Each structure stands twice: as C-alpha cells, then as structure tokens.
Amino acid sequence: MKKEKVAFVVVRYGKNINGGAEYHCQMLAERLVSDYDVEVLTTCVRDVATGENIYPEGEEEWNGVVIRRFRTNPVQREKERYFAKKAKPARKLRQFLFKLGILKYLSYLIPVWSYKHDDEVQAMKSDKFYSSALNDYIRDHIDEYKAFIAMSSDYVTFYYTALYAGRKTIAIPTMHNMGISFRSVLTSAFSNIAYVGFNTGEEQRLAENILGKALGAHGILSVGIEESLSADWAMTKEKFQLPEKYLLYIGRITPKKIHRLLTYFVNYKKKYSDSTLRLVLVGGLAMKRFEHPDVIYTGFVSDEEKMSILQHAEIVVNPSRYESLSLILLEAMSQKRPMLVNGHCKVLKEHCLKSDFASFYYMNNRGFNQALRRIEQSEDLREEMGEKGASYVESNYNWSLIMGRLKSDINFIKELIDDEVVKEIKRSLIVLLPKN
C-alpha cells in the first residue's frame, strides 16, 4: 500500500546545517519515514548570513527523506530594510498592547490585523529566504499531501505555507517574545492554520496572549533529543585543547545568543580566583572574537565530538534570553549534566521549575556568580541535579510520546479535511434536491 505524503517546510535543510529549527525539523522528519512518504520543502540556501543559493535546485534523498530544494529570489536588502522600517509601527503597537495585557482581548474585536500588513508582505518578498518557486509548488501541489508541517514563524516560508496550504498545515512556530512575533501578518497566518504545536507551556501561553482569537486549535507537541554516539574523549580533548573542568556553551556564538555570558564569566573568575573552571564555546563564531586565557573556542565540531565534550562538561550554560525549548538543555539533562540558564527567558525558567531545579537560573551578574559557585563547589549537588534532569527529560521528552502526538495531529488534519468534504457534498445535494 502506497504511503501518504507529508511535507515539512523549513528555510534550510541538509548535512552541515547549523540551526535549531532545521535540526528540530530533521529529527521529526526522519522519525516519520516508517509511516509516511516524508519530504522537506526548502531553499537552496546554506549560509544564513549571505542567503546565497549554494545547493543545487532539485531533489535529493537523505536518511530516507526526500529533499526538494527551490532557488530563492534575488535578495533586495535595501527594499527589505525600507519596508521593514515602514512596517515597524505595527510591531511596536502590538508589542505595547501586549505589555499592557490587552492584546489578547482586543483580538476578539480585531482577530486579524491589516495595519501595515502590506508593508510586512513587501518586506518578506525582499527577504533572503523568499522563494516564489517554493510558494508556487505548495500552492499547485497541495492536493498531493496529507499535511504540511511549517517550521518557525520567524521565517517567510511559514507565512506562505499558511497562506497556500493553511487548512492542511500543522505549525511548529518556535515563538519567542521578540518584535518579529508581533507582526500583523502572523494574525492572518495563524488564523489560516489547522493546528499549532508548541514546544512548551510557556511558548503556548505567549502565543495565546499575542494572537488571542486568531489562534485556532493548538496544544503541546514538542520534540525529543537524539542519542548520538560519543567520540573518543582523549582524542577530542587533545584536538581542541580542552581543560579538565569547564563551563560549556554549545550553539551559535552571536551577541544575541550568548548575551552577557563572557562578561559574567570573566567577572566570576575575578571574584573567585581559586576557581579552576574555564569557559568552552562550541559552535560557529559570528561576532568579534573575545580573547581571554580562560575562554576556549572550538569552532564547529562533529556530532560525536559534541557529545563527548558535553558528557565531560562540569556545568552547561544557556545564556540566551530567547528560547522556545532549548534542545541543548534537554541534551545536557539527558547526560546528567547540571544546567545554568538565563532566568529572563521564561521558557528556560519553566524548565528549572518543572524539573525541580535540575537547572539553576540567574537574573543578573550577582545571581550568575552565586549559582555557578554553588554548583561548582558541590559534587553532591551536581549529581543530584544530573539525576533530576535525566528523569525530567525521560518523563516529558521521550520520542514515543512526541511522535504519538505528531501522528495524532496529522490525523486531526485528515479529519478536518474529511469534514470539509462531507459538508461540501451536503451543500451540493441540497442544491440538487428538487424544490417543493
């Protein structure tokens, strides 16, 4: 029996792609191949910074998933900046109403916003990920697919999937409390979407308060973590000149991602001169390199090397203010590593509370110092946090639970479509019935 087709839509996909939404997409897609013919609709872009079409257009198969790549339109940076600036008042107004706590309630009067909508669309059409070919494919081939799964509401592909295939779309928005989440176009996008799956309760509450009535059927979907093999530790340690004890950060090294981590860590070392911790940063460097004898940059590493470095970390840190889940937190917890996170991110703080403090959070430099010092000085505490973390991940993020939810959501789409067909048949019969 031929399998039904399901398509994920994401801006980038494939080997050597470094990004949370892309990795998230890969883990879900590859686990669906036993039940569906799984495809990924994506662009030819490899590097987020340049937006160049690097990959060849067309099809390829990777790990059982068919990847369809489409070229993006020429980037128009000046035009994008012009329309983004012109559309900015809508984001600012919606953000202001959100902070007042009334945006959700206003949605019952105005569920879909038109204010600056056209300017936002023009900005998206100038975006480096805008692909008219990809959009046309979704519009023209919608009937071939049982469901579309659109990743990350920040990206232009999310909007056009909702526009052309909303009634068959499951959205995984990975939404953050940032300006981009307050665009008017998202009210029309979400109002078209059949089902929205969130990563955490905190992300769901954020979306409910931003979108209100524009948000239709929704619930928690989330994602699990990969059980990667581990590289030989002695070789990995030698290759990257790693110390015995280190605080570990894994991810893109950008000002937005690491926030004040470098400043806080240097201050910590000044305050506690007896500390032997060093800071190891794993990932691509996309900012000016900060030189310090206690800071080590590894650059990109393989998945096996990453796992080995993670397993031998004393403590793992996520300093980001903007997360919709944090896969690295879940990976660290599954490996029984104690976590330290930025408490200004509500999603990360929620993990701390729900895991009974398998992770500590900080709100400022003083809190960072206190939490890190407490964890560093107590092996018993690190072991306790590690056990709590592993239990938390197993209870809430195991793959059988996650994939059961996703398959149920796909079937929900089918039921909605079937209901539409039945209603259309009934309407047709009414028209055909003779009048008395």
Side-chain angles (χ1 to χ4, degrees):
M1 184 177 174
K2 189 176 181 181
K3 294 178 184 176
E4 294 177 290
K5 289 168 69 173
V6 170
F8 288 79
V9 187
V10 67
V11 290
R12 301 182 305 151
Y13 192 87
K15 297 176 184 177
N16 303 317
I17 293 292
N18 181 31
E22 295 86 347
Y23 184 45
H24 188 162
C25 179
Q26 180 191 339
M27 289 191 291
L28 292 175
E30 291 179 1
R31 282 176 169 80
L32 272 184
V33 294
S34 59
D35 297 280
Y36 299 96
D37 279 340
V38 181
E39 297 185 2
V40 172
L41 311 182
T42 189
T43 71
C44 297
V45 174
R46 184 172 65 190
D47 188 344
V48 172
T50 65
E52 291 182 54
N53 288 298
I54 300 296
Y55 291 110
E57 193 171 24
E59 293 181 30
E60 69 169 297
E61 186 172 320
W62 181 45
N63 294 342
V65 175
V66 173
I67 306 171
R68 294 185 189 272
R69 298 190 191 281
F70 301 85
R71 290 182 65 81
T72 55
N73 293 30
V75 179
Q76 303 177 71
R77 299 189 191 281
E78 287 301 320
K79 186 177 177 182
E80 182 187 12
R81 279 193 285 267
Y82 171 77
F83 281 108
K85 184 177 181 180
K86 195 176 177 186
K88 192 174 182 179
R91 300 197 307 275
K92 289 294 185 183
L93 174 59
R94 287 177 54 76
Q95 216 165 5
F96 175 70
L97 295 171
F98 170 80
K99 289 176 180 177
L100 291 179
I102 61 175
L103 183 59
K104 175 181 179 179
Y105 303 104
L106 280 175
S107 73
Y108 289 90
L109 296 173
I110 313 170
V112 176
W113 281 52
S114 59
Y115 181 48
K116 297 295 183 180
H117 176 279
D118 292 347
D119 292 327
E120 290 175 346
V121 169
Q122 289 300 316
M124 286 193 293
K125 285 184 175 181
S126 309
D127 184 76
K128 58 192 168 188
F129 292 120
Y130 179 75
S131 170
S132 55
L134 172 53
N135 299 339
D136 290 345
Y137 180 87
I138 293 172
R139 183 192 60 208
D140 297 341
H141 295 265
I142 181 174
D143 293 335
E144 297 175 18
Y145 296 88
K146 183 174 183 177
F148 293 84
I149 302 171
M151 305 295 300
S152 186
S153 59
D154 289 357
Y155 294 123
V156 61
T157 49
F158 185 93
Y159 172 77
Y160 282 98
T161 306
L163 181 66
Y164 293 127
R167 65 190 177 89
K168 282 190 170 184
T169 296
I170 297 167
I172 302 177
T174 62
M175 186 177 276
H176 310 88
N177 187 357
M178 296 174 67
I180 198 167
S181 297
F182 292 88
R183 290 171 296 161
S184 292
V185 291
L186 288 183
T187 62
S188 59
F190 277 97
S191 66
N192 281 349
I193 289 169
Y195 188 82
V196 182
F198 295 103
N199 281 327
T200 63
E202 191 59 49
E203 183 200 1
Q204 178 174 282
R205 286 187 288 275
L206 174 67
E208 288 170 345
N209 287 325
I210 291 175
L211 298 163
K213 195 177 180 182
L215 181 64
H218 62 278
I220 302 298
L221 174 58
S222 202
V223 69
I225 54 172
E226 294 284 15
E227 290 294 332
S228 300
L229 296 174
S230 178
D232 179 79
W233 171 237
M235 293 177 63
T236 303
K237 184 180 179 183
E238 174 66 23
K239 179 179 178 179
F240 298 107
Q241 294 296 293
L242 299 174
E244 288 296 326
K245 294 184 177 182
Y246 53 91
L247 174 68
L248 175 64
Y249 168 81
I250 299 177
R252 291 195 300 272
I253 303 170
T254 69
K256 186 182 292 185
K257 284 291 186 180
I258 66 169
H259 199 234
R260 296 172 181 160
L261 175 61
L262 292 168
T263 301
Y264 285 3
F265 182 74
V266 170
N267 290 343
Y268 178 84
K269 293 290 289 187
K270 287 178 181 177
K271 183 175 178 66
Y272 301 107
S273 56
D274 60 330
S275 171
T276 57
L277 276 182
R278 297 177 75 185
L279 175 62
V280 173
L281 303 172
V282 174
L285 182 64
M287 57 180 278
K288 185 178 179 181
R289 187 183 180 101
F290 176 83
E291 297 292 351
H292 190 277
D294 287 321
V295 178
I296 298 169
Y297 300 86
T298 68
F300 287 108
V301 302
S302 70
D303 289 341
E304 294 79 12
E305 289 168 339
K306 184 188 85 168
M307 181 55 66
S308 184
I309 295 169
L310 178 62
Q311 289 172 340
H312 289 85
E314 194 86 346
I315 306 155
V316 181
V317 63
N318 187 341
S320 174
R321 292 172 66 97
Y322 307 107
E323 294 284 352
S324 65
L325 177 64
S326 182
L327 286 172
I328 194 58
L329 175 141
L330 300 181
E331 288 177 346
M333 284 184 170
S334 73
Q335 296 300 318
K336 300 185 178 181
R337 297 296 88 197
M339 283 292 306
L340 179 61
V341 302
N342 188 336
H344 289 286
C345 175
K346 290 185 178 181
V347 167
L348 295 178
K349 188 174 180 180
E350 181 184 52
H351 282 307
C352 297
L353 300 176
K354 290 181 68 175
S355 67
D356 191 23
F357 293 98
S359 172
F360 286 176
Y361 67 86
Y362 61 89
M363 304 300 290
N364 49 38
N365 200 158
R366 183 166 176 265
F368 178 91
N369 288 345
Q370 291 175 338
L372 183 56
R373 186 64 170 175
R374 185 180 170 195
I375 300 170
E376 181 188 6
Q377 287 198 309
S378 176
E379 184 177 351
D380 288 343
L381 176 60
R382 292 195 298 274
E383 289 182 1
E384 180 186 341
M385 292 173 73
E387 293 296 333
K388 286 180 178 179
S391 176
Y392 173 66
V393 172
E394 176 58 31
S395 298
N396 296 279
Y397 298 96
N398 70 79
W399 276 114
S400 60
L401 175 67
I402 303 303
M403 297 313 295
R405 289 173 182 165
L406 181 55
K407 292 171 190 176
S408 176
D409 295 343
I410 293 171
N411 287 328
F412 174 74
I413 299 292
K414 184 177 184 300
E415 290 169 7
L416 287 178
I417 300 299
D418 289 346
D419 286 345
E420 285 182 13
V421 171
V422 170
K423 288 176 182 177
E424 186 59 36
I425 291 172
K426 286 181 177 178
R427 282 194 292 266
S428 299
L429 289 174
I430 291 170
V431 171
L432 293 171
L433 284 173
K435 295 180 181 179
N436 291 330

